[in-house]
Amino acid sequence: IHASFARAVYVSELDMEYLRKPLATLPQLWKPLRCAPSKYCSKLANGGLLNWCFCCVCSRLVYFETYGCQMNVNDTEIAWSILQRKGYRRTADLGEADVVLLVTWCMAERLKTELLEREKLVDVIAGPDAYRDLPRLLAVAHGGQRASNVLLSLEETYADVMPVHHAPHGKSAFVSIMRGCDNMCSYCIVPFTRGRERSRPASSVLEEVRLLSDQGVKEVTLLGQNVNSYRDTSEEQFCGSDPTKLSQGFKTVYRAKQGGLRFSDLLDRVSRIDSDMRIRFTSPHPKDFPDEVLHLIAERGNICKQIHLPAQSGSSEVLTAMRRGYTREAYLDLVENVKRIIPEVSLSSDFISGFCGETEDDHQQTLSLIREVGYNVGFLFAYSMRKKTHASHRLQDDVPAEVKRRRLEECIGAFREEAARVNAALIGSTQLVLVEGESKRSAKDLCGRTDGNMKVIFPREDVAIQPAASNAASVHAGHYVLVKILSSSSQSLRGRALSHSSLSGTVKHCETLPRHRLHEHAASDTTMIETCP
């Protein structure tokens, strides 16, 4: 998850060969630059299709290419904010760019030598805590030298850098609240590439959310590698001695942390800024869901009733090898507690197929957990070992590739069966949908998402300005509409818009319904989160 100024446009974490040639669909966009003497220019590594110059003197146009998780998108926004202050301008045209910035997977620390020195595929490498140093690194590159800064920080949160958001239609945004991770799961490279946990001051987070509200943003997702372990110690008044509370039956590899403004406190404050703004958060760890967080989600109308609970495996043996800090039984107890406190909750999860030492019985336990919990969405992957992780030093990647693929396909199949079942149960219900825009498959349709992040597709047509009103108005991105669900699949819901609405008004309406009918207003998701079709 790093910035790399490269002559190749595509970066793959798994295959260095991609770095040795431009993306096949892009070479025709590249052209020689004439803003600097030739000594400042570098030829492409795959035979020199053209000269590519990283120059900051003339127009200083920067082009961003972003891959991977949402943290990378947020890092792009931070890097762009820093460069913008130094006079750079952003371009969507690769051919006219003076600087090409690739924001990639967790690569810079691991592949610094290969990328910068041996392969000589890039001019600059910047780690996730070095974005403030980008202008200097670029100046060094402009002088004809290669430069890098991959040092990790115990303090950097970019609290004083307001990201420049480029959310679709400007109606949703991600707000980073913490960086790094202390969990040290045996398969994970994040603690070694993004460093230790540190939380952004609450005052900075609240300021950004207020600005987004003023700009008309209707949905904010709080973002972090372990978002619900948030603990702000930036002010003396926050620094008490009470230990951090964990979910019952969960433990950590580190000693209990004391004091600080906790995630439940921040979530409470953020949700009070704008009652018509949806609040989500990702990605959490199951250990950090004490009851006060769950009760807040249940009681606050604009906090989405959707929780991501990454299980990774359904086998206690595998969970121990993964150093997850819980058993299958403790995880299922947490799920039961979540559903008890938030009856209308929508659950999603992560799973890894074929981890070190996973047996067929372990795999069957994972399938049974998927079916027992009844997730609405899943992010599933076949295990791929990373250097520097605990697993790379202590465990053997002993599950054959074909077995990993087969087990992954079976897990995906189980998720899709559950999604189809859950989605079919919503037919006939009315869902509050935040409109994202035009469907990619048809200009005659619009699409949006429910409280539970379920994709809904419906015809583009004028609807009543409010329930029971005779006047109609068109529907646009950022509007809330009530949609009657008419059909479903494992991937999405389809329906027809009934009227315009608002988040606060719909919440009040739902609270007047009997408890047994609240599920009609709950939302669910599918086996994969997608953009509009």
Side-chain angles (χ1 to χ4, degrees):
I1 311 175
H2 310 291
S4 303
F5 293 82
R7 290 175 294 282
V9 176
Y10 184 73
V11 177
S12 170
E13 181 179 22
L14 302 178
D15 191 353
M16 282 288 294
E17 192 61 34
Y18 282 109
L19 280 167
R20 298 185 176 94
K21 56 186 177 181
L23 190 63
T25 58
L26 292 179
Q28 69 272 18
L29 297 178
W30 294 65
K31 64 181 181 181
L33 299 178
R34 300 179 180 177
C35 58
S38 60
K39 69 178 182 178
Y40 295 138
C41 298
S42 304
K43 283 193 174 183
L44 286 168
N46 71 333
L49 294 178
L50 48 94
N51 290 333
W52 189 254
C53 169
F54 298 100
C55 174
C56 314
V57 177
C58 300
S59 58
R60 301 210 290 188
L61 292 173
V62 59
Y63 175 90
F64 287 90
E65 189 81 13
T66 305
Y67 300 94
C69 69
Q70 188 56 47
M71 287 298 296
N72 295 11
V73 177
N74 184 258
D75 278 5
T76 298
E77 295 168 347
I78 291 172
W80 170 224
S81 179
I82 291 169
L83 291 176
Q84 191 178 49
R85 293 179 184 178
K86 295 296 182 179
Y88 286 83
R89 291 185 293 123
R90 189 168 183 172
T91 178
D93 183 353
L94 177 65
E96 68 176 10
D98 304 308
V99 174
V100 177
L101 172 63
L102 274 72
V103 186
T104 68
W105 292 282
C106 303
M107 293 186 66
E109 287 87 357
R110 295 191 299 114
L111 301 179
K112 172 187 172 183
T113 301
E114 290 89 334
L115 293 174
L116 198 65
E117 300 170 13
R118 187 160 64 237
E119 301 288 347
K120 296 183 179 180
L121 294 169
V122 301
D123 294 306
V124 170
I125 293 179
D129 295 339
Y131 299 141
R132 296 181 193 273
D133 200 27
L134 283 174
R136 183 191 68 83
L137 294 173
L138 280 173
V140 172
H142 172 57
Q145 301 179 40
R146 301 179 188 275
S148 71
N149 183 346
V150 294
L151 295 176
L152 294 176
S153 169
L154 293 175
E155 300 177 349
E156 181 63 85
T157 64
Y158 300 104
D160 61 328
V161 178
M162 272 305 138
V164 181
H165 294 281
H166 282 265
H169 311 292
K171 299 304 179 183
S172 63
F174 288 81
V175 174
S176 176
I177 69 169
M178 58 87 67
R179 302 177 72 84
C181 183
D182 290 346
N183 291 323
M184 296 292 176
C185 298
S186 62
Y187 54 82
C188 187
I189 193 67
V190 167
F192 306 99
T193 57
R194 282 206 170 253
R196 302 294 297 273
E197 285 180 10
R198 61 270 192 206
S199 297
R200 181 180 174 187
S203 57
S204 173
V205 174
L206 297 174
E207 179 186 1
E208 183 174 351
V209 175
R210 290 189 190 100
L211 288 173
L212 292 170
S213 175
D214 291 342
Q215 294 168 12
V217 169
K218 292 297 183 182
E219 182 177 274
V220 161
T221 301
L222 304 181
L223 194 64
Q225 258 86 24
N226 190 17
V227 67
N228 54 339
S229 71
Y230 179 88
R231 191 175 65 95
D232 176 17
T233 58
S234 63
E235 298 183 30
E236 185 177 351
Q237 59 179 318
F238 300 155
C239 298
S241 58
D242 54 318
T244 300
K245 295 180 182 179
L246 299 179
S247 306
Q248 188 171 357
F250 288 68
K251 60 183 180 180
T252 66
V253 297
Y254 53 82
R255 288 183 295 179
K257 300 176 182 180
Q258 296 183 331
L261 187 80
R262 307 295 166 76
F263 180 67
S264 58
D265 302 314
L266 179 69
L267 190 59
D268 174 45
R269 298 183 184 194
V270 167
S271 66
R272 293 179 183 274
I273 290 175
D274 185 344
S275 63
D276 214 37
M277 174 190 282
R278 278 180 173 169
I279 308 298
R280 302 185 188 275
F281 56 90
T282 197
S283 179
H285 191 287
K287 69 177 172 54
D288 293 309
F289 277 108
D291 283 1
E292 54 260 36
V293 173
L294 300 178
H295 282 295
L296 178 63
I297 295 171
E299 295 164 5
R300 195 61 49 82
N302 62 335
I303 302 178
C304 292
K305 308 302 183 284
Q306 179 215 5
I307 293 181
H308 189 59
L309 289 179
Q312 306 302 355
S313 175
S315 163
S316 293
E317 293 277 343
V318 175
L319 290 170
T320 298
M322 290 178 167
R323 308 207 322 175
R324 289 291 289 172
Y326 53 87
T327 62
R328 173 192 176 97
E329 291 72 25
Y331 182 88
L332 288 174
D333 286 344
L334 173 61
V335 170
E336 182 180 355
N337 193 44
V338 169
K339 291 183 175 180
R340 177 181 61 83
I341 296 175
I342 316 171
E344 65 272 36
V345 71
S346 170
L347 296 178
S348 59
S349 193
D350 298 339
F351 283 89
I352 297 173
S353 293
F355 186 69
C356 304
E358 183 188 71
T359 66
E360 194 62 31
D361 181 65
D362 294 327
H363 170 59
Q364 291 301 322
Q365 290 184 54
T366 296
L367 290 175
S368 71
L369 185 137
I370 291 172
R371 295 187 176 105
E372 182 172 349
V373 174
Y375 301 104
N376 309 112
V377 62
F379 301 91
L380 301 97
F381 308 90
Y383 177 63
S384 176
M385 184 173 280
R386 298 291 184 266
K387 294 180 180 179
K388 294 187 178 181
T389 61
H390 177 87
S392 71
H393 295 299
R394 302 291 182 86
L395 303 176
Q396 281 191 314
D397 187 7
D398 54 0
V399 179
E402 62 272 16
V403 175
K404 291 180 182 179
R405 287 193 294 270
R406 191 257 301 167
R407 291 177 181 173
L408 175 61
E409 289 171 359
E410 290 178 358
C411 287
I412 292 174
F415 263 102
R416 286 178 174 164
E417 289 175 7
E418 288 299 312
R421 177 185 61 81
V422 172
N423 293 347
L426 294 174
I427 295 174
S429 69
T430 299
Q431 301 288 325
L432 180 67
V433 174
L434 176 59
V435 181
E436 294 180 343
E438 183 178 287
S439 169
K440 290 183 178 180
R441 292 183 179 176
S442 174
K444 296 180 179 179
D445 291 334
L446 296 173
C447 76
R449 293 191 180 268
T450 65
D451 178 273
N453 210 26
M454 183 61 207
K455 181 171 60 182
V456 182
I457 303 165
F458 56 96
R460 182 198 297 269
E461 58 188 358
D462 293 354
V463 297
I465 58 174
Q466 61 184 26
S470 58
N471 295 338
S474 56
V475 179
H476 302 284
H479 288 173
Y480 285 109
V481 291
L482 292 173
V483 177
K484 180 84 169 181
I485 305 303
L486 303 176
S487 64
S488 69
S489 69
S490 64
Q491 297 293 317
S492 63
L493 303 173
R494 281 190 172 270
R496 184 171 293 277
L498 302 177
S499 71
H500 288 266
S501 188
S502 67
L503 181 57
S504 55
T506 305
V507 169
K508 290 179 180 178
H509 169 69
C510 290
E511 288 173 348
T512 66
L513 295 175
R515 169 62 65 179
H516 72 276
R517 288 192 57 202
L518 279 176
H519 75 278
E520 295 180 6
H521 296 264
S524 58
D525 212 321
T526 64
T527 54
M528 286 291 176
I529 289 181
E530 305 175 0
T531 56
C532 298

